[in-house]
């Protein structure tokens, strides 16, 4: 059994209730997005999508270690950085790796091929105060790892990643990684806060569909003043259109897909581009919830300064977020499959620090080409949308790939392209 099948088997074993719901609700969010039953979902069918919006039904953290491991104190190298190779050091599932504040400052913390298990994840924690890093953290080919800045009760963010030159990535997760939790980290003055993706590669094992970067939990972090995105999750080249040179030959490999990405309880403020961006998230439903996203788009690009962006091939539930002051859209959705946007508070779309741009809705939905052809089925419910420079909700149709049974309820005025099967709360077209 290869590792991709292992991930799927793990999900089924871990979340049997979700798959029971899938069996009960044939047109629910659990169902693969390109296998619709054709049944329309209107305002009366709220139980179908309401039943799967409770995040308590799906795990949002790694489980606590169910075994007794040892504590390993990490020492810096001559460059003030720490590199830990799981193939070379005697670290076992359930162990705890410790960075000590007394050794500040650090340049980087990087780990490769470090593997915990479902029952015994490996914990990485601060001790003695806040850990200061300039370059950031990187995880390559790692699984069942929990990086937590909760090692000192006086520090809400036990890891601080800050670069006066505003360069590089705060936390980088790539390669054949999965089951990673990052919490209580403060990232300030970087190019990107979080970078979770693997672009198309010459190596077969790093090409879709040979691995899923799945079960990534990013929560209770603070990200301020990024030169580009606060979170860049997944490739924006899902179809592999970019050239990759391999031994003198140009190929077009598809990047790895993401699945079961959970982004919640984070603060994202003052980004030059978008606050939170998720693309290529086609493998298992993703969730973005309870985040506060403010002041996005200081690059002043009307296609980059969104609060939350959902890119190609992505299915997600986006709910209970607060988004304020974006140069572009509050929420932009170009995903496919099931999309739920609910209970978000969005204000000042198209208005950032006195800079205004026209045509910016609170929520914008559109379609993009997919291979194979997939359809988009959206539910926009009970959002509080304030000031914007367009309509509260704008629905375009660049590609005619909407499924039947799209719903918009209690979310302000709507402008939608013709030919979309769309129902509002009053069952009016």
């Amino acid at each position: 059994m290869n590792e991709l099948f292992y991930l799927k088997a793990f999900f089924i074993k871990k979340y049997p209730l979700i798959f029971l719901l899938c069996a009960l609700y044939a047109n629910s969010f659990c169902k693969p997005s390109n296998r619709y039953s054709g049944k329309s979902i209107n305002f009366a069918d709220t139980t179908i999508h309401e039943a799967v919006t409770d995040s308590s039904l799906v795990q949002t953290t790694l489980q606590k270690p169910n075994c007794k491991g040892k504590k390993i104190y990490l020492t810096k190298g001559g460059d003030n950085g720490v590199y830990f190779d799981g193939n070379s050091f005697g670290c076992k599932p359930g162990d705890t790796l410790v960075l000590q504040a007394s050794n500040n400052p650090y340049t980087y913390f990087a780990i490769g091929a470090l593997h915990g298990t479902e029952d015994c994840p490996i914990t990485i924690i601060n001790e003695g105060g806040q850990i200061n890093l300039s370059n950031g953290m990187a995880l390559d080919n790692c699984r069942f790892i929990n990086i937590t800045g909760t090692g000192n009760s006086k520090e809400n963010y036990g890891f601080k990643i800050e670069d006066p030159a505003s360069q590089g990535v705060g936390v980088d997760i790539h390669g054949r990684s999965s089951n990673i939790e990052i919490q209580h980290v403060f990232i300030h003055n970087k190019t990107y806060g979080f970078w979770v993706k693997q672009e198309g590669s010459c190596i077969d094992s790093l090409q879709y569909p040979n691995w899923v970067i799945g079960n990534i939990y990013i929560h209770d972090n603070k990200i301020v003043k990024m030169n580009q995105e606060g979170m860049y999750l997944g490739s924006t080249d899902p179809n592999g259109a970019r050239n990759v040179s391999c031994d003198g030959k140009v190929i077009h490999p598809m990047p790895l897909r993401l699945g079961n990405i959970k982004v919640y309880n984070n603060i994202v403020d003052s980004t030059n581009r978008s606050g939170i961006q998720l693309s290529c998230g086609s493998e298992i439903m993703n969730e973005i919830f309870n985040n506060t996203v403010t002041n996005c788009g200081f690059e002043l690009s009307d296609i980059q300064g969104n609060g939350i962006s959902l890119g190609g091939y992505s299915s997600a539930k986006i709910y209970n977020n607060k988004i304020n002051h974006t140069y572009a859209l509050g929420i932009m959705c170009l995903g496919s499959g099931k999309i739920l946007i609910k209970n978000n508070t969005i204000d000042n779309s198209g208005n950032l620090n006195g800079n205004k741009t026209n045509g910016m809705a609170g929520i914008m939905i559109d379609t993009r080409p997919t291979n194979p052809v997939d359809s988009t089925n959206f539910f926009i419910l009970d959002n509080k949308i304030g000031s914007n420079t367009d309509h509260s909700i704008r629905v375009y149709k660049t590609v005619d790939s909407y499924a039947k049974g799209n719903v918009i309820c209690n979310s302000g005025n709507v402008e939608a392209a013709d030919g979309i099967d769309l129902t509002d709360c009053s069952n009016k077209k």
Side-chain angles (χ1 to χ4, degrees):
M1 180 180 294
N2 65 31
E3 290 170 307
L4 179 58
F5 285 121
Y6 165 77
L7 277 178
K8 293 181 178 178
F10 162 79
F11 191 83
I12 294 171
K13 175 186 174 183
K14 189 67 180 175
Y15 312 123
L17 179 57
I18 294 298
F19 284 86
L20 175 60
L21 284 171
C22 292
L24 293 174
Y25 298 108
N27 202 25
S28 74
F29 283 99
C30 308
K31 192 169 183 180
S33 58
N34 59 346
R35 300 180 184 175
Y36 295 113
S37 67
K39 176 186 175 184
S40 295
I41 299 178
N42 59 34
F43 73 103
D45 297 314
T46 55
T47 55
I48 292 178
H49 44 266
E50 297 285 346
V52 294
T53 59
D54 184 355
S55 62
S56 66
L57 296 177
V58 179
Q59 183 178 358
T60 56
T61 64
L62 297 179
Q63 73 175 47
K64 295 185 182 300
N66 193 27
C67 53
K68 189 173 182 179
K70 62 182 178 295
K71 185 177 285 189
I72 301 172
Y73 286 89
L74 302 177
T75 57
K76 299 190 298 183
D79 57 358
N80 277 342
V82 176
Y83 176 68
F84 195 95
D85 183 352
N87 292 320
S88 303
F89 292 89
C91 181
K92 296 181 179 180
D95 286 349
T96 298
L97 307 183
V98 181
L99 279 75
Q100 295 173 287
S102 59
N103 292 329
N104 279 331
Y106 295 79
T107 49
Y108 63 86
F109 172 71
I111 53 177
L114 189 61
H115 300 161
T117 64
E118 178 185 351
D119 290 332
C120 299
I122 293 171
T123 301
I124 298 164
I125 196 166
N126 63 304
E127 184 175 284
Q130 187 178 67
I131 304 300
N132 298 320
L133 302 103
S134 55
N135 292 359
M137 300 180 175
L139 296 84
D140 176 28
N141 187 27
C142 293
R143 292 159 215 166
F144 294 101
I145 306 295
N146 179 16
I147 297 181
T148 174
T150 57
N152 185 287
S153 60
K154 296 181 180 179
E155 297 287 349
N156 191 33
Y157 303 104
F159 293 100
K160 182 179 181 180
I161 302 169
E162 182 177 43
D163 183 0
S166 300
Q167 296 179 348
V169 179
V171 178
D172 178 355
I173 301 172
H174 61 277
R176 292 167 70 87
S177 294
S178 69
N179 300 89
I180 306 292
E181 181 176 0
I182 310 287
Q183 56 173 307
H184 295 274
V185 176
F186 177 34
I187 305 173
H188 182 241
N189 275 354
K190 298 292 288 182
T191 302
Y192 302 94
F194 282 82
W195 175 287
V196 182
K197 63 173 182 169
Q198 176 62 55
E199 294 289 358
S201 170
C202 299
I203 303 171
D204 290 349
S205 63
L206 297 179
Q207 298 174 9
Y208 174 80
N210 297 322
W211 185 257
V212 175
I213 301 177
N215 305 324
I216 308 295
Y217 312 116
I218 301 172
H219 65 94
D220 294 284
N221 302 290
K222 186 175 183 179
I223 303 167
V224 180
K225 293 192 69 175
M226 298 297 110
N227 261 344
Q228 294 200 17
E229 282 81 8
M231 297 189 192
Y232 197 131
L233 315 175
S235 173
T236 52
D237 181 36
N239 292 319
R242 297 170 187 159
N243 293 343
V244 176
S245 180
C246 302
D247 296 326
K249 182 181 179 181
V250 174
I251 64 172
H252 296 89
M254 296 175 70
L256 293 182
R257 299 283 176 87
L258 278 60
N260 195 34
I261 307 298
K262 307 295 184 193
V263 177
Y264 62 97
N265 295 349
N266 299 287
I267 297 171
V268 181
D269 179 66
S270 298
T271 59
N272 281 2
R273 292 189 172 183
S274 295
I276 299 172
Q277 175 180 291
L278 171 64
S279 301
C280 256
S282 61
E283 311 297 308
I284 308 174
M285 179 62 62
N286 307 285
E287 293 188 73
I288 302 173
F289 61 99
N290 293 353
N291 301 286
T292 299
V293 182
T294 53
N295 300 309
C296 300
F298 283 102
E299 191 175 86
L300 302 185
S301 167
D302 58 8
I303 61 173
Q304 296 285 5
N306 307 303
I308 296 176
S309 297
L310 196 63
Y313 290 86
S314 296
S315 57
K317 296 182 282 185
I318 303 173
Y319 59 96
N320 296 348
N321 299 285
K322 295 180 180 179
I323 303 168
N324 198 3
H325 288 290
T326 57
Y327 187 73
L329 304 156
I331 296 176
M332 181 187 76
C333 175
L334 306 176
S336 58
K338 299 288 188 181
I339 309 293
L340 174 69
I341 302 175
K342 181 180 178 182
N343 283 341
N344 299 285
T345 300
I346 305 168
D347 202 5
N348 292 297
S349 303
N351 184 357
L352 176 64
N353 197 31
N355 299 290
K356 291 189 177 182
T357 182
N358 292 326
M360 296 297 124
I363 299 172
M364 188 276 280
I365 309 288
D366 201 359
T367 48
R368 290 294 184 268
T370 59
N371 183 21
V373 175
D374 197 0
S375 53
T376 299
N377 197 191
F378 61 83
F379 307 86
I380 304 176
L381 311 173
D382 303 322
N383 298 281
K384 296 178 182 178
I385 302 177
S387 172
N388 57 78
T389 59
D390 188 29
H391 294 271
S392 297
I393 300 172
R394 168 78 71 168
V395 185
Y396 293 102
K397 189 176 66 173
T398 297
V399 178
D400 189 7
S401 57
Y402 286 108
K404 293 183 178 181
N406 301 289
V407 179
I408 297 178
C409 289
N410 301 328
S411 297
N413 59 76
V414 179
E415 182 69 20
D418 293 335
I420 301 173
D421 188 271
L422 176 61
T423 305
D424 67 18
C425 291
S426 300
N427 201 26
K428 295 178 182 179
K429 296 283 184 178

